[in-house]
Amino acid sequence: MSDDIDFEILSLKNISHIYDQENHKLKVLSNINIVIKKGEMVSLIGPSGSGKSTLLNIAGLLEKPSIGSIYLIGKNCKNINEEAKANLRGSNIGFVFQSHRLFPEFSALENVMLPQLIMGTSKKQAESNSKELLAMLGLEKRFSHRPAKLSGGESQRVAIARAIANSPNLILADEPTGNLDPLSAQNVFDILYKVVKSLNISCLIATHNLVLAKSMDRCLFLENGAIKEQ
Ligand code: ADP
Ligand code: MG
């Protein structure tokens, strides 16, 4: 892959999405075009129900758009099978959600190791990578803690370490600080910012926090199915 700053990591082309609801069809996204370049951190804001999660799920190949194409690191994802999609996702995309979604029976370290083991990294290598990542996120003293023994902000930092464990090109985050108090939200965001910038990972981050949204490289506003760049 090119290290060129202009390299397109994610390109959504003419995306429209319609949900079949009980008595009607709901058009959530209407002819959306977004390009995210290498290392860019982009925020996605918009009212509740405007389609932010839908857009992230489509970008992450978790949901198929009704119309349109998704290009991930230049590759058209339209006609690839589920296995190829899972591989593309596993090696290119890290997901962070509003709740940490860590496995409660595993330690912080094991939670970060898991996606690497799934992608075929050896146990020894996964362990040393995970320790390094957790340390980058300020969690060097939390390796053996289970999620129940971590604060909300610490759990989200473990979730971020897990999301970047397979060196993805892109992080998709759906309100990653939505469950945190303002101070922890800022703290988690500052660490996320530092880490993704140092690793040159692109991000698309849905948030209701306008202060955080405005501090990213670009801010996209989703309303009535359309994107406006702010
Ligand atoms: P946001 O994340 O901005 O709050 P969502 O993408 O979750 O918005 O939802 C956008 C709209 O699509 C909402 O009106 C929601 O009710 C509807 N919606 C989301 N998922 C589905 C689904 N699986 N089936 C039907 N309607 C859905
Ligand atoms: Mg949502």
Side-chain angles (χ1 to χ4, degrees), residues 1-11 13 34-40 71-74 169 200 202 217-218:
M1 197 197 67
S2 169
D3 277 335
D4 189 336
I5 185 111
D6 281 337
F7 189 79
E8 293 181 1
I9 295 297
L10 174 71
S11 172
K13 293 196 178 166
I34 297 174
V35 171
I36 299 183
K37 291 182 177 166
K38 176 94 182 144
E40 262 191 323
Y71 290 79
L72 199 55
I73 50 161
N169 289 301
N200 210 17
S202 310
D217 300 326
R218 282 162 58 208

Side-chain angles (χ1 to χ4, degrees), residues 48-49 51-54 56 98 174-175 206 208:
S48 275
K52 301 180 297 297
S53 297
T54 302
L56 288 170
Q98 183 168 355
D174 199 351
E175 303 192 30
H208 283 292

Side-chain angles (χ1 to χ4, degrees), residues 65-228:
S66 308
I67 303 171
S69 312
I70 301 133
Y71 290 79
L72 199 55
I73 50 161
K75 186 176 167 56
N76 188 346
C77 302
K78 197 161 197 123
N79 292 318
I80 58 174
N81 63 28
E82 287 305 316
E83 193 188 345
K85 234 181 236 181
N87 277 329
L88 257 182
R89 256 200 310 270
S91 50
N92 287 291
I93 306 178
F95 293 92
V96 183
F97 303 94
Q98 183 168 355
S99 64
H100 55 72
R101 299 198 191 179
L102 299 172
F103 289 111
E105 67 276 36
F106 291 141
S107 68
L109 185 65
E110 288 163 342
N111 267 284
V112 182
M113 287 171 67
L114 213 60
Q116 300 172 74
L117 300 176
I118 290 169
M119 292 303 285
T121 307
S122 73
K123 199 171 167 203
K124 198 173 160 202
Q125 186 65 52
E127 186 171 336
S128 78
N129 290 344
S130 301
K131 285 181 172 168
E132 198 179 316
L133 285 173
L134 286 168
M136 270 177 95
L137 287 146
L139 294 165
E140 53 277 83
K141 299 210 169 84
R142 298 286 184 276
F143 291 164
S144 59
H145 286 53
R146 290 190 181 184
K149 302 279 180 201
L150 297 169
S151 70
E154 286 170 342
S155 301
Q156 278 306 67
R157 283 188 272 151
V158 177
I160 292 167
R162 176 183 58 184
I164 57 180
N166 284 323
S167 309
N169 289 301
L170 176 68
I171 285 188
L172 298 172
D174 199 351
E175 303 192 30
T177 62
N179 283 354
L180 305 177
D181 63 78
L183 200 62
S184 306
Q186 185 68 50
N187 173 259
V188 166
F189 177 75
D190 289 345
I191 293 177
L192 173 66
Y193 188 93
K194 195 178 80 188
V195 170
V196 297
K197 286 297 177 188
S198 74
L199 299 173
N200 210 17
I201 300 173
S202 310
C203 298
L204 180 59
I205 302 178
T207 182
H208 283 292
N209 186 325
L210 293 182
V211 175
L212 301 187
K214 297 288 179 193
S215 62
M216 298 187 215
D217 300 326
R218 282 162 58 208
C219 180
L220 306 177
F221 180 58
L222 178 60
E223 193 177 38
N224 299 326
I227 289 278
K228 283 192 205 108

Side-chain angles (χ1 to χ4, degrees), residues 19-21 26 28 47-54:
Y19 283 120
D20 271 322
Q21 292 199 328
L26 176 72
V28 184
S48 275
S50 57
K52 301 180 297 297
S53 297
T54 302

